[in-house]
Amino acid sequence: MAKQFDVVVIGAGPGGYIAAIRAAQLGMSVACVDAWSTAEGKPAPGGTCTNVGCIPSKALLQSSEHFEHANLHLAEHGVDVKGVSLNLDKLVGRKDVVVKQNNDGILYLFKKNKVNFFHGTASFGAKVDGGWSVNVAGANAEELVAKNVIIATGSSARALPGAEFDEEQILSNDGALRLPKVPKKLAVIGAGVIGLELGSVWRRLGAEVTILEGAPEFLSAVDRDVAKEALKAFTKQGLKINVGVKVGEIKKSAKQVTINYVDAAGAEQKLEADKLIVSIGRVPNTAGLGAETIGLKLDERGFVVVDDDCATSLPGIWAVGDVVRGPMLAHKAEEEGVAVAERLAGQQPHVNFDTVPWVIYTSPEIAWVGKTEQQLKTEGRAYRAGSFPFLANGRARALGDTTGFVKVLADAKTDEVLGVHFVGPVASELVAEAVAIMEFRGASEDIARICHAHPTLSEALKEAALAVDKRALNF
């Protein structure tokens, strides 16, 4: 007999589990279905983000940064360390512990909020009395029925044709997070967030890393000044980054991968590596969902078609996160999940895509919100810009990390902040203040007039705002 709920959420990634919890908080009976499993077959909610994305990559980035600091930078602080060695099993094991803590935390939150969790693969059945039927396949098969269904099935790594993932030599983000040893030579195709972050992890641990990028410019979506500063820093660290390349045939042997490509100058090149990470984007997880069974509309790329409120082509069916239009970011999925749950409760929430922050967790970190300078120029919008280097920031000097700067872009007439860009230490945390200012349509003068604690890295944002009016105090 089918189990009836107000809401069934398909997927327990950031968009799905948050939507389920918020709906339960608002008094609805909620079920959440998710198929992720541990190696032992136990439930592992959290989706790509928790299991093979945001969380494990940040754990490895942190650990690898500690290793590099011990080898290269602690002596600058008068801390002499001898005989530093890498215990990769322990390093990766710590990552696994962090992942499990997040998995367990979500299961606890489900229990706390009375969300019914079902471990298995969900697919649509039919339109029935009481809403939509959802079939759960797994060790304990179930049929669920709900008036509203929220699709939050996420995305998977896109493979290169002819170079499918084997997770042994040709790796997606999944395989790249659990290499059993540090490769001597590592190739990465794609200089986006995943490519740069995972490339940085293995470079710090001793690999010789070469990154191939098809776009003619490095980080083309990032503010040009920030991208140039980042490229300079990454190159100095030892990352070999080639842009404007055309990847050709990829051959795999027992011991190496050979990537044939044409460089930006038109010359044919060959790159040989022990491992290859392919990070050329992601595709929505809609296969097996049963969209065709109920007539759910997908676009030509497989994304679920939704309107501005995340409503699909069918009444009572919603979709959020990576499986719909917009940036593939965990925090964007969370905001959409909350918004849909609140719409079901009769509220009128709003998700502002213009103030969604972006972060690349390399060193230096890169973070931004709003428009880049090149976008404003293309739009023909009059603006003023102010920037401030971390080199002139007292806290950055004390940290021993003065790479990068902060840039503030403001409307030339109204002074409304249009974009804020960071490259430097803990940019991922600093961007939050810029998001808050922009959400309230604040001005650069507002940032400039806010008292910031001294000495802090956040003072660099204040100084960049002052620089918009050409009155920076410390540079």
Side-chain angles (χ1 to χ4, degrees), residues 62-317:
Q62 188 64 62
S63 297
S64 64
E65 192 163 347
H66 285 324
F67 181 70
E68 185 164 76
H69 278 189
N71 275 302
L72 301 179
H73 303 300
L74 286 183
E76 300 169 8
H77 296 265
V79 180
D80 293 325
V81 180
K82 296 181 180 179
V84 176
S85 61
L86 174 65
N87 185 334
L88 186 60
D89 288 342
K90 192 168 186 177
L91 186 149
V92 173
R94 176 187 176 274
K95 177 262 295 180
D96 294 337
V97 169
V98 171
V99 169
K100 186 178 185 303
Q101 289 171 338
N102 279 268
N103 295 145
D104 292 345
I106 295 169
L107 290 171
Y108 164 76
L109 290 171
F110 281 162
K111 185 176 181 181
K112 175 185 175 183
N113 290 279
K114 297 181 173 59
V115 172
N116 296 270
F117 178 70
F118 295 88
H119 187 213
T121 302
S123 60
F124 283 104
K127 184 79 170 70
V128 297
D129 290 340
W132 299 93
S133 69
V134 175
N135 299 312
V136 181
N140 298 299
E142 297 277 2
E143 182 186 359
L144 313 178
V145 173
K147 181 180 178 182
N148 290 284
V149 178
I150 302 173
I151 302 167
T153 47
S155 63
S156 299
R158 183 191 300 277
L160 269 174
E164 284 68 31
F165 299 119
D166 59 16
E167 305 302 4
E168 295 291 335
Q169 286 178 287
I170 301 179
L171 314 168
S172 69
N173 51 293
D174 186 1
L177 290 166
R178 50 183 173 85
L179 288 174
K181 67 178 183 179
V182 179
K184 184 177 180 181
K185 292 187 176 182
L186 174 66
V188 181
I189 297 177
V193 176
I194 296 171
L196 289 172
E197 289 183 357
L198 293 177
S200 293
V201 166
W202 295 107
R203 181 203 59 77
R204 292 170 187 166
L205 299 179
E208 179 184 317
V209 180
T210 302
I211 301 178
L212 304 178
E213 169 58 47
E217 292 184 320
F218 178 64
L219 290 176
S220 56
V222 177
D223 186 272
R224 284 296 84 214
D225 291 338
V226 169
K228 289 176 183 177
E229 180 74 7
L231 180 59
K232 184 171 65 175
F234 297 150
T235 301
K236 184 177 180 181
Q237 291 167 5
L239 281 179
K240 299 176 183 178
I241 301 172
N242 301 295
V243 299
V245 309
K246 293 181 179 179
V247 175
E249 185 180 17
I250 297 174
K251 296 180 180 179
K252 183 176 66 172
S253 67
K255 293 185 178 180
Q256 68 178 22
V257 182
T258 302
I259 304 100
N260 295 284
Y261 68 96
V262 177
D263 65 21
E268 293 186 359
Q269 303 286 353
K270 181 167 66 174
L271 174 62
E272 295 179 341
D274 304 305
K275 307 286 183 181
L276 168 64
I277 299 173
V278 176
S279 56
I280 56 171
R282 301 183 64 80
V283 295
N285 292 331
T286 48
L289 185 60
E292 66 286 347
T293 302
I294 58 171
L296 180 65
K297 187 177 180 181
L298 307 180
D299 70 13
E300 66 280 0
R301 296 182 297 162
F303 288 90
V304 179
V305 176
V306 294
D307 63 14
D308 291 343
D309 291 336
C310 292
T312 72
S313 59
L314 298 175
I317 299 182

Side-chain angles (χ1 to χ4, degrees), residues 316-364:
I317 299 182
W318 311 74
V320 302
D322 285 8
V323 82
V324 303
R325 79 288 178 267
M328 288 184 166
L329 299 170
H331 43 284
K332 173 260 195 184
E334 290 181 352
E335 295 304 313
E336 287 181 329
V338 168
V340 168
E342 292 179 349
R343 287 182 188 115
L344 295 180
Q347 299 181 14
Q348 295 181 323
H350 175 65
V351 178
N352 184 1
F353 280 14
D354 292 335
T355 55
V356 172
W358 296 72
V359 180
I360 304 175
Y361 294 86
T362 46
S363 181

